[in-house]
Amino acid sequence: MCTELFRIISQPARPCKAVQDVKIASKMNPRQWQRLRALVIDAAARFLNTQDRYEHQDPEMVRLFYQAVHATWPEVAAKYPNSWVLVWYLKIYLLKRVYRKRWSEKVARERASSQARQQPRRLRVAINTNRSFCQIDTGASQACVAMRTRRRTTAYDRLVSPSGPEIRASPAMYCSSVTLSQNSGSPSSPASAHSHSVVPVQSSRAVFRFLDSMSPSLVKLVPDFLSAGIYDQSHLEDFFTWPEKAQRNFLLKTFTGKVNALELGAMLIALNSRRHG
């Protein structure tokens, strides 16, 4: 545990509006500042909704966030009264995440609108191109038929040796009708079969046994537990001690769209029994 933080630094009178302002006011060296940033980003991803502002966060999850950071680096709470450096940096970090999300959504909307405007023009170009190809194919077929007709007529005239004045027959008298057959159709493409690949996940047996003990079994959530920072038995025991509301908010935030109502109820029942067990 680092003990380089020893002098109490009070909160500046003027609010900090940028990350650089917080860094200067905290008077941390580069190594300490990088450690603080890593702690805040990791704890925010575990406990908070990083797509929303600081003012809209669940107070219980905010309390767990500060508890996790102070447990990892207790000198921050001792050096900075009311942990003002954490509060200011967290507010700026979440606000930047919100602005980045809005910008990406705006770019996606503009791209979709541009593609919608360009689609009729692309369709007209494709139709004109197909018509051009059809005209070229028809012209080539007609030329081929005319050439074959001339060859057959010339060959027949050479075989005929009439006595008397030469009589030339018109090509229409000897030419047989030509039927063009076009086999139209697009090559059949093989149907693509979608299959869910199962990726092996390296995890402790404790997490696997806990998820497998539920009815129905929820071992499919092992990767999500690992991503949330729950790796082994000690992490599970810490998770079991959380308040019921904090556990519910954590499950709704982490597994939204991944479990149905029955599976969520099974997990809440299992957590409740472990909490009172």
Side-chain angles (χ1 to χ4, degrees), residues 109-124:
R109 287 194 301 268
E110 292 178 352
R111 185 177 302 169
S113 177
S114 176
Q115 291 178 355
R117 289 194 303 267
Q118 293 178 2
Q119 186 162 0
R121 178 178 176 274
R122 293 177 180 176
L123 185 60
R124 290 195 300 271

Side-chain angles (χ1 to χ4, degrees), residues 48-189:
L48 303 179
N49 181 9
T50 56
Q51 303 298 327
D52 208 347
R53 294 171 177 264
Y54 178 84
E55 293 77 11
H56 300 163
Q57 301 292 332
D58 186 352
E60 182 65 22
M61 302 306 293
V62 173
R63 185 185 66 81
L64 291 175
F65 165 83
Y66 288 122
Q67 180 179 346
V69 175
H70 292 160
T72 306
W73 200 5
E75 287 84 354
V76 173
K79 182 174 181 179
Y80 301 97
N82 298 324
S83 300
W84 61 265
V85 66
L86 291 177
V87 176
W88 283 3
Y89 180 73
L90 180 61
K91 286 183 177 180
I92 296 173
Y93 170 73
L94 293 177
L95 189 62
K96 284 187 174 182
R97 298 272 303 185
V98 171
Y99 287 160
R100 189 180 300 122
K101 178 184 177 183
R102 291 179 181 176
W103 174 256
S104 61
E105 291 176 350
K106 179 181 178 182
V107 171
R109 287 194 301 268
E110 292 178 352
R111 185 177 302 169
S113 177
S114 176
Q115 291 178 355
R117 289 194 303 267
Q118 293 178 2
Q119 186 162 0
R121 178 178 176 274
R122 293 177 180 176
L123 185 60
R124 290 195 300 271
V125 171
I127 292 175
N128 294 335
T129 304
N130 292 336
R131 287 178 179 175
S132 300
F133 284 141
C134 291
Q135 292 175 359
I136 292 174
D137 293 341
T138 303
S141 301
Q142 293 176 354
C144 183
V145 171
M147 183 179 295
R148 290 178 180 177
T149 302
R150 287 196 300 269
R151 288 178 180 176
R152 290 179 181 179
T153 304
T154 304
Y156 182 82
D157 291 341
R158 290 177 179 175
L159 292 175
V160 176
S161 56
S163 58
E166 181 179 2
I167 300 176
R168 292 195 176 270
S170 64
M173 296 176 60
Y174 306 103
C175 293
S176 60
S177 61
V178 180
T179 303
L180 298 178
S181 63
Q182 297 180 354
N183 297 326
S184 62
S186 60
S188 60
S189 60

Side-chain angles (χ1 to χ4, degrees), residues 5-80:
L5 299 174
F6 58 92
R7 186 165 55 89
I8 296 178
I9 299 178
S10 59
Q11 179 176 342
R14 187 174 59 180
C16 298
K17 297 182 179 181
V19 175
Q20 189 65 22
D21 298 337
V22 180
K23 181 179 180 181
I24 295 174
S26 66
K27 298 181 181 179
M28 291 185 178
N29 58 42
R31 185 169 59 86
Q32 294 172 343
W33 178 253
Q34 290 299 328
R35 183 184 180 189
L36 178 71
R37 289 182 67 251
L39 284 176
V40 171
I41 293 174
D42 178 69
R46 292 172 56 189
F47 299 100
L48 303 179
N49 181 9
T50 56
Q51 303 298 327
D52 208 347
R53 294 171 177 264
Y54 178 84
E55 293 77 11
H56 300 163
Q57 301 292 332
D58 186 352
E60 182 65 22
M61 302 306 293
V62 173
R63 185 185 66 81
L64 291 175
F65 165 83
Y66 288 122
Q67 180 179 346
V69 175
H70 292 160
T72 306
W73 200 5
E75 287 84 354
V76 173
K79 182 174 181 179
Y80 301 97

